[in-house]
Amino acid sequence: MKKVTIADVAKEANVSVSTVSQFMNQRYEYMSVETRAKIQLAVEKLRYRPNILARSLKNKGTQTIGIIVANIMYTFTTHIVHHLERHFQQHGFQVIVCNANDNPKLEREHIDLLLAKQVEGFILFPTGNNKDLYDYLYNSNIPVVFLDRMIADVKIPSVLLNNEKAIELAVGELMNKGYENLAIVAGSIEQNITPRLERLEGFRQAMKKRGVAYGEHQVIATSTENLPEKFNQLLTEVSLDGIIAGNDRMLLAILHYLKEHSPDILGKIGIAVIDEMPLAKFLSTKLTTIEQPTEEMAKQAVHLFLQIKKSGYTEELLPAYRFDPILV
């Protein structure tokens, strides 16, 4: 099929090519409503699509942002990406979303590919193991904002939860309900992932603050695959009556384990989870849910991105912008 050109649209609408060009660039100042309607009708009839890359080269900008998430499977990730896209669209930007699947090599490939497509910058949920690449983006003055995670010795600003406060809320709520023998289960910390490290340390601090004895076997960092082994050990050593899940996927793994191996304590144990659980009200187990303010965090990330795009990485930028958790 022959590709439709701007000249074809001009012929169909019976106007000049320059007039169509003005229309496509939304410059309507000297264009009548009738002319705009004719061009719009021609565009729709011919299914004309402008060459975005050619336009970007001319205008020195693709108006496209790369969003690379560490793992698309988390509820937090899908919710904040939704808000990021909406807020960027309000500023005339489109987004391309890529999933690194917690794989630094895949993250690097996505960044390289999107740079080749001339995106104007990135929102990154960094895997953490591409410091040289993060430094390159910073030193090249390519706008980048980290979300959910910080990377040591990298000057790119981060937007993330006050994780220790989130755990303080979770511990406080469980203890107020009469649960005292608590444990926390977060994901693997092999890659030094910020929220996991901070939530584990937050648990230690919250227990010490209350003068409650605990052992390091009650502070668990593991993958969902290795959770059964860790839980078997935990339940033989502790008369557990409360547990905090570091995120929604870990919560599901915990509930699955308890249903399969310890159904007798499932209805008795107190459970808190960090991150939104849309189906929580349908579960037989009562949950204490600590949510992240995803819309406010997304709005802040977009604001920072636009600030960097306009003025570069100035000294006014903070290393981290923290948001308070929400007890549901």
mmCIF file of all heavy atoms in Angstrom, residues 156-193:
data_model
loop_
_atom_site.group_PDB
_atom_site.id
_atom_site.type_symbol
_atom_site.label_atom_id
_atom_site.label_comp_id
_atom_site.label_asym_id
_atom_site.label_seq_id
_atom_site.Cartn_x
_atom_site.Cartn_y
_atom_site.Cartn_z
ATOM 1 N N ILE A 156 21.540 11.458 40.440
ATOM 2 C CA ILE A 156 20.180 11.559 39.914
ATOM 3 C C ILE A 156 19.184 11.560 41.075
ATOM 4 O O ILE A 156 19.278 10.712 41.972
ATOM 5 C CB ILE A 156 19.894 10.387 38.955
ATOM 6 C CG1 ILE A 156 20.763 10.530 37.692
ATOM 7 C CG2 ILE A 156 18.415 10.318 38.584
ATOM 8 C CD1 ILE A 156 20.755 9.309 36.794
ATOM 9 N N PRO A 157 18.218 12.489 41.102
ATOM 10 C CA PRO A 157 17.266 12.544 42.215
ATOM 11 C C PRO A 157 16.287 11.371 42.198
ATOM 12 O O PRO A 157 15.965 10.835 41.139
ATOM 13 C CB PRO A 157 16.534 13.872 41.994
ATOM 14 C CG PRO A 157 16.657 14.133 40.528
ATOM 15 C CD PRO A 157 17.996 13.577 40.122
ATOM 16 N N SER A 158 15.814 10.998 43.393
ATOM 17 C CA SER A 158 14.899 9.870 43.544
ATOM 18 C C SER A 158 13.597 10.320 44.196
ATOM 19 O O SER A 158 13.601 11.198 45.061
ATOM 20 C CB SER A 158 15.528 8.772 44.409
ATOM 21 O OG SER A 158 16.724 8.293 43.848
ATOM 22 N N VAL A 159 12.511 9.688 43.788
ATOM 23 C CA VAL A 159 11.205 9.877 44.419
ATOM 24 C C VAL A 159 10.806 8.539 45.014
ATOM 25 O O VAL A 159 10.729 7.534 44.299
ATOM 26 C CB VAL A 159 10.147 10.338 43.390
ATOM 27 C CG1 VAL A 159 8.763 10.405 44.045
ATOM 28 C CG2 VAL A 159 10.531 11.685 42.795
ATOM 29 N N LEU A 160 10.591 8.500 46.325
ATOM 30 C CA LEU A 160 10.305 7.216 46.954
ATOM 31 C C LEU A 160 9.553 7.388 48.261
ATOM 32 O O LEU A 160 9.400 8.496 48.784
ATOM 33 C CB LEU A 160 11.581 6.413 47.167
ATOM 34 C CG LEU A 160 12.653 6.897 48.140
ATOM 35 C CD1 LEU A 160 13.658 5.767 48.384
ATOM 36 C CD2 LEU A 160 13.411 8.110 47.601
ATOM 37 N N LEU A 161 9.092 6.273 48.786
ATOM 38 C CA LEU A 161 8.330 6.235 50.020
ATOM 39 C C LEU A 161 9.247 6.432 51.223
ATOM 40 O O LEU A 161 10.422 6.059 51.183
ATOM 41 C CB LEU A 161 7.626 4.876 50.136
ATOM 42 C CG LEU A 161 6.692 4.657 51.333
ATOM 43 C CD1 LEU A 161 5.448 5.524 51.203
ATOM 44 C CD2 LEU A 161 6.298 3.175 51.443
ATOM 45 N N ASN A 162 8.698 6.972 52.289
ATOM 46 C CA ASN A 162 9.378 6.942 53.583
ATOM 47 C C ASN A 162 9.179 5.528 54.130
ATOM 48 O O ASN A 162 8.215 5.241 54.844
ATOM 49 C CB ASN A 162 8.785 7.988 54.536
ATOM 50 C CG ASN A 162 9.558 8.093 55.832
ATOM 51 O OD1 ASN A 162 10.153 7.116 56.292
ATOM 52 N ND2 ASN A 162 9.542 9.269 56.429
ATOM 53 N N ASN A 163 10.082 4.636 53.759
ATOM 54 C CA ASN A 163 9.902 3.215 54.032
ATOM 55 C C ASN A 163 9.942 2.879 55.520
ATOM 56 O O ASN A 163 9.183 2.026 55.995
ATOM 57 C CB ASN A 163 10.965 2.405 53.280
ATOM 58 C CG ASN A 163 10.717 2.391 51.794
ATOM 59 O OD1 ASN A 163 9.733 1.846 51.319
ATOM 60 N ND2 ASN A 163 11.613 3.012 51.032
ATOM 61 N N GLU A 164 10.830 3.538 56.253
ATOM 62 C CA GLU A 164 10.915 3.253 57.679
ATOM 63 C C GLU A 164 9.644 3.688 58.404
ATOM 64 O O GLU A 164 9.189 3.018 59.336
ATOM 65 C CB GLU A 164 12.157 3.917 58.278
ATOM 66 C CG GLU A 164 13.455 3.296 57.751
ATOM 67 C CD GLU A 164 14.695 3.804 58.470
ATOM 68 O OE1 GLU A 164 14.547 4.630 59.392
ATOM 69 O OE2 GLU A 164 15.801 3.353 58.113
ATOM 70 N N LYS A 165 9.052 4.785 57.960
ATOM 71 C CA LYS A 165 7.789 5.215 58.556
ATOM 72 C C LYS A 165 6.671 4.231 58.232
ATOM 73 O O LYS A 165 5.783 3.984 59.059
ATOM 74 C CB LYS A 165 7.421 6.618 58.074
ATOM 75 C CG LYS A 165 6.198 7.195 58.769
ATOM 76 C CD LYS A 165 5.987 8.659 58.410
ATOM 77 C CE LYS A 165 4.799 9.237 59.171
ATOM 78 N NZ LYS A 165 4.601 10.684 58.876
ATOM 79 N N ALA A 166 6.706 3.664 57.023
ATOM 80 C CA ALA A 166 5.696 2.679 56.636
ATOM 81 C C ALA A 166 5.746 1.464 57.555
ATOM 82 O O ALA A 166 4.710 0.945 58.002
ATOM 83 C CB ALA A 166 5.901 2.256 55.183
ATOM 84 N N ILE A 167 6.965 0.996 57.862
ATOM 85 C CA ILE A 167 7.109 -0.155 58.754
ATOM 86 C C ILE A 167 6.730 0.216 60.181
ATOM 87 O O ILE A 167 6.120 -0.579 60.908
ATOM 88 C CB ILE A 167 8.545 -0.695 58.699
ATOM 89 C CG1 ILE A 167 8.848 -1.235 57.290
ATOM 90 C CG2 ILE A 167 8.733 -1.799 59.731
ATOM 91 C CD1 ILE A 167 7.931 -2.353 56.831
ATOM 92 N N GLU A 168 7.066 1.426 60.598
ATOM 93 C CA GLU A 168 6.664 1.898 61.924
ATOM 94 C C GLU A 168 5.138 1.848 62.057
ATOM 95 O O GLU A 168 4.606 1.408 63.088
ATOM 96 C CB GLU A 168 7.178 3.324 62.139
ATOM 97 C CG GLU A 168 6.620 4.043 63.346
ATOM 98 C CD GLU A 168 7.034 3.431 64.672
ATOM 99 O OE1 GLU A 168 8.124 2.828 64.745
ATOM 100 O OE2 GLU A 168 6.257 3.554 65.642
ATOM 101 N N LEU A 169 4.443 2.276 61.029
ATOM 102 C CA LEU A 169 2.976 2.208 61.029
ATOM 103 C C LEU A 169 2.495 0.764 61.129
ATOM 104 O O LEU A 169 1.573 0.455 61.892
ATOM 105 C CB LEU A 169 2.422 2.843 59.749
ATOM 106 C CG LEU A 169 2.210 4.352 59.720
ATOM 107 C CD1 LEU A 169 1.768 4.784 58.333
ATOM 108 C CD2 LEU A 169 1.177 4.766 60.751
ATOM 109 N N ALA A 170 3.095 -0.112 60.335
ATOM 110 C CA ALA A 170 2.677 -1.514 60.305
ATOM 111 C C ALA A 170 2.891 -2.177 61.660
ATOM 112 O O ALA A 170 1.991 -2.861 62.186
ATOM 113 C CB ALA A 170 3.439 -2.266 59.215
ATOM 114 N N VAL A 171 4.079 -1.985 62.247
ATOM 115 C CA VAL A 171 4.374 -2.580 63.557
ATOM 116 C C VAL A 171 3.424 -2.019 64.611
ATOM 117 O O VAL A 171 2.855 -2.760 65.425
ATOM 118 C CB VAL A 171 5.841 -2.321 63.962
ATOM 119 C CG1 VAL A 171 6.083 -2.710 65.420
ATOM 120 C CG2 VAL A 171 6.784 -3.099 63.042
ATOM 121 N N GLY A 172 3.214 -0.711 64.589
ATOM 122 C CA GLY A 172 2.336 -0.080 65.564
ATOM 123 C C GLY A 172 0.907 -0.599 65.478
ATOM 124 O O GLY A 172 0.276 -0.890 66.506
ATOM 125 N N GLU A 173 0.391 -0.732 64.277
ATOM 126 C CA GLU A 173 -0.974 -1.221 64.106
ATOM 127 C C GLU A 173 -1.125 -2.662 64.578
ATOM 128 O O GLU A 173 -2.102 -3.012 65.248
ATOM 129 C CB GLU A 173 -1.396 -1.104 62.636
ATOM 130 C CG GLU A 173 -1.784 0.286 62.217
ATOM 131 C CD GLU A 173 -3.007 0.803 62.957
ATOM 132 O OE1 GLU A 173 -4.061 0.134 62.903
ATOM 133 O OE2 GLU A 173 -2.898 1.860 63.600
ATOM 134 N N LEU A 174 -0.178 -3.508 64.231
ATOM 135 C CA LEU A 174 -0.270 -4.909 64.653
ATOM 136 C C LEU A 174 -0.193 -5.023 66.175
ATOM 137 O O LEU A 174 -0.953 -5.782 66.798
ATOM 138 C CB LEU A 174 0.835 -5.735 63.994
ATOM 139 C CG LEU A 174 0.681 -5.987 62.486
ATOM 140 C CD1 LEU A 174 1.867 -6.778 61.959
ATOM 141 C CD2 LEU A 174 -0.622 -6.732 62.180
ATOM 142 N N MET A 175 0.712 -4.271 66.772
ATOM 143 C CA MET A 175 0.842 -4.354 68.233
ATOM 144 C C MET A 175 -0.379 -3.766 68.940
ATOM 145 O O MET A 175 -0.789 -4.255 70.000
ATOM 146 C CB MET A 175 2.134 -3.670 68.679
ATOM 147 C CG MET A 175 3.369 -4.464 68.307
ATOM 148 S SD MET A 175 4.858 -3.916 69.181
ATOM 149 C CE MET A 175 5.983 -5.254 68.732
ATOM 150 N N ASN A 176 -0.955 -2.724 68.370
ATOM 151 C CA ASN A 176 -2.177 -2.165 68.949
ATOM 152 C C ASN A 176 -3.327 -3.166 68.922
ATOM 153 O O ASN A 176 -4.263 -3.082 69.729
ATOM 154 C CB ASN A 176 -2.591 -0.899 68.197
ATOM 155 C CG ASN A 176 -1.683 0.280 68.499
ATOM 156 O OD1 ASN A 176 -0.965 0.284 69.502
ATOM 157 N ND2 ASN A 176 -1.691 1.280 67.629
ATOM 158 N N LYS A 177 -3.258 -4.103 67.989
ATOM 159 C CA LYS A 177 -4.288 -5.138 67.882
ATOM 160 C C LYS A 177 -3.946 -6.373 68.711
ATOM 161 O O LYS A 177 -4.652 -7.382 68.648
ATOM 162 C CB LYS A 177 -4.472 -5.522 66.417
ATOM 163 C CG LYS A 177 -5.058 -4.389 65.568
ATOM 164 C CD LYS A 177 -5.098 -4.762 64.088
ATOM 165 C CE LYS A 177 -5.653 -3.602 63.255
ATOM 166 N NZ LYS A 177 -5.642 -3.918 61.796
ATOM 167 N N GLY A 178 -2.842 -6.291 69.458
ATOM 168 C CA GLY A 178 -2.500 -7.372 70.370
ATOM 169 C C GLY A 178 -1.491 -8.377 69.863
ATOM 170 O O GLY A 178 -1.188 -9.364 70.535
ATOM 171 N N TYR A 179 -0.924 -8.138 68.681
ATOM 172 C CA TYR A 179 0.094 -9.045 68.140
ATOM 173 C C TYR A 179 1.477 -8.546 68.548
ATOM 174 O O TYR A 179 1.800 -7.375 68.355
ATOM 175 C CB TYR A 179 -0.010 -9.116 66.615
ATOM 176 C CG TYR A 179 -1.386 -9.487 66.114
ATOM 177 C CD1 TYR A 179 -2.213 -8.540 65.517
ATOM 178 C CD2 TYR A 179 -1.860 -10.788 66.233
ATOM 179 C CE1 TYR A 179 -3.479 -8.872 65.052
ATOM 180 C CE2 TYR A 179 -3.134 -11.132 65.774
ATOM 181 C CZ TYR A 179 -3.930 -10.168 65.185
ATOM 182 O OH TYR A 179 -5.182 -10.504 64.736
ATOM 183 N N GLU A 180 2.310 -9.428 69.093
ATOM 184 C CA GLU A 180 3.622 -8.994 69.584
ATOM 185 C C GLU A 180 4.794 -9.763 68.981
ATOM 186 O O GLU A 180 5.866 -9.200 68.806
ATOM 187 C CB GLU A 180 3.677 -9.120 71.111
ATOM 188 C CG GLU A 180 2.787 -8.115 71.821
ATOM 189 C CD GLU A 180 3.024 -8.112 73.311
ATOM 190 O OE1 GLU A 180 3.830 -8.924 73.795
ATOM 191 O OE2 GLU A 180 2.401 -7.285 73.999
ATOM 192 N N ASN A 181 4.599 -11.045 68.706
ATOM 193 C CA ASN A 181 5.692 -11.852 68.141
ATOM 194 C C ASN A 181 5.669 -11.705 66.619
ATOM 195 O O ASN A 181 5.026 -12.483 65.916
ATOM 196 C CB ASN A 181 5.535 -13.324 68.553
ATOM 197 C CG ASN A 181 5.682 -13.502 70.045
ATOM 198 O OD1 ASN A 181 6.535 -12.873 70.666
ATOM 199 N ND2 ASN A 181 4.852 -14.349 70.632
ATOM 200 N N LEU A 182 6.347 -10.682 66.155
ATOM 201 C CA LEU A 182 6.259 -10.295 64.746
ATOM 202 C C LEU A 182 7.487 -10.739 63.950
ATOM 203 O O LEU A 182 8.569 -10.930 64.495
ATOM 204 C CB LEU A 182 6.119 -8.770 64.622
ATOM 205 C CG LEU A 182 5.019 -8.086 65.427
ATOM 206 C CD1 LEU A 182 5.006 -6.596 65.119
ATOM 207 C CD2 LEU A 182 3.661 -8.712 65.159
ATOM 208 N N ALA A 183 7.281 -10.836 62.652
ATOM 209 C CA ALA A 183 8.377 -11.050 61.707
ATOM 210 C C ALA A 183 8.087 -10.219 60.469
ATOM 211 O O ALA A 183 6.942 -9.817 60.226
ATOM 212 C CB ALA A 183 8.503 -12.528 61.339
ATOM 213 N N ILE A 184 9.112 -9.938 59.699
ATOM 214 C CA ILE A 184 8.952 -9.246 58.426
ATOM 215 C C ILE A 184 9.578 -10.085 57.327
ATOM 216 O O ILE A 184 10.621 -10.714 57.530
ATOM 217 C CB ILE A 184 9.587 -7.833 58.452
ATOM 218 C CG1 ILE A 184 9.327 -7.110 57.124
ATOM 219 C CG2 ILE A 184 11.078 -7.887 58.774
ATOM 220 C CD1 ILE A 184 9.721 -5.642 57.134
ATOM 221 N N VAL A 185 8.917 -10.117 56.179
ATOM 222 C CA VAL A 185 9.441 -10.844 55.021
ATOM 223 C C VAL A 185 9.479 -9.887 53.835
ATOM 224 O O VAL A 185 8.444 -9.368 53.406
ATOM 225 C CB VAL A 185 8.575 -12.072 54.667
ATOM 226 C CG1 VAL A 185 9.214 -12.842 53.516
ATOM 227 C CG2 VAL A 185 8.401 -12.973 55.883
ATOM 228 N N ALA A 186 10.678 -9.641 53.336
ATOM 229 C CA ALA A 186 10.864 -8.788 52.155
ATOM 230 C C ALA A 186 11.586 -9.594 51.082
ATOM 231 O O ALA A 186 12.058 -10.701 51.327
ATOM 232 C CB ALA A 186 11.663 -7.540 52.516
ATOM 233 N N GLY A 187 11.675 -9.023 49.885
ATOM 234 C CA GLY A 187 12.355 -9.700 48.785
ATOM 235 C C GLY A 187 13.859 -9.753 48.988
ATOM 236 O O GLY A 187 14.407 -9.154 49.915
ATOM 237 N N SER A 188 14.511 -10.453 48.108
ATOM 238 C CA SER A 188 15.969 -10.617 48.183
ATOM 239 C C SER A 188 16.671 -9.257 48.151
ATOM 240 O O SER A 188 16.245 -8.336 47.441
ATOM 241 C CB SER A 188 16.445 -11.470 47.005
ATOM 242 O OG SER A 188 17.853 -11.444 46.907
ATOM 243 N N ILE A 189 17.753 -9.153 48.924
ATOM 244 C CA ILE A 189 18.513 -7.891 48.961
ATOM 245 C C ILE A 189 19.890 -8.046 48.324
ATOM 246 O O ILE A 189 20.806 -7.270 48.587
ATOM 247 C CB ILE A 189 18.655 -7.372 50.404
ATOM 248 C CG1 ILE A 189 19.294 -8.432 51.309
ATOM 249 C CG2 ILE A 189 17.308 -6.926 50.944
ATOM 250 C CD1 ILE A 189 19.614 -7.940 52.704
ATOM 251 N N GLU A 190 20.024 -9.052 47.466
ATOM 252 C CA GLU A 190 21.311 -9.265 46.793
ATOM 253 C C GLU A 190 21.725 -8.051 45.970
ATOM 254 O O GLU A 190 22.912 -7.781 45.801
ATOM 255 C CB GLU A 190 21.237 -10.505 45.897
ATOM 256 C CG GLU A 190 21.167 -11.816 46.669
ATOM 257 C CD GLU A 190 21.130 -13.011 45.738
ATOM 258 O OE1 GLU A 190 21.262 -12.814 44.508
ATOM 259 O OE2 GLU A 190 20.975 -14.144 46.237
ATOM 260 N N GLN A 191 20.743 -7.317 45.428
ATOM 261 C CA GLN A 191 21.049 -6.152 44.602
ATOM 262 C C GLN A 191 20.917 -4.841 45.377
ATOM 263 O O GLN A 191 20.875 -3.769 44.765
ATOM 264 C CB GLN A 191 20.123 -6.128 43.376
ATOM 265 C CG GLN A 191 20.390 -7.266 42.390
ATOM 266 C CD GLN A 191 19.431 -7.241 41.219
ATOM 267 O OE1 GLN A 191 18.328 -7.758 41.277
ATOM 268 N NE2 GLN A 191 19.862 -6.618 40.130
ATOM 269 N N ASN A 192 20.854 -4.916 46.704
ATOM 270 C CA ASN A 192 20.775 -3.709 47.544
ATOM 271 C C ASN A 192 19.620 -2.796 47.146
ATOM 272 O O ASN A 192 19.789 -1.582 46.986
ATOM 273 C CB ASN A 192 22.099 -2.929 47.505
ATOM 274 C CG ASN A 192 23.241 -3.704 48.128
ATOM 275 O OD1 ASN A 192 23.063 -4.388 49.127
ATOM 276 N ND2 ASN A 192 24.413 -3.610 47.535
ATOM 277 N N ILE A 193 18.450 -3.367 46.975
ATOM 278 C CA ILE A 193 17.282 -2.611 46.537
ATOM 279 C C ILE A 193 16.740 -1.779 47.700
ATOM 280 O O ILE A 193 16.409 -2.304 48.763
ATOM 281 C CB ILE A 193 16.219 -3.555 45.960
ATOM 282 C CG1 ILE A 193 16.754 -4.180 44.660
ATOM 283 C CG2 ILE A 193 14.912 -2.820 45.701
ATOM 284 C CD1 ILE A 193 15.884 -5.258 44.081
#
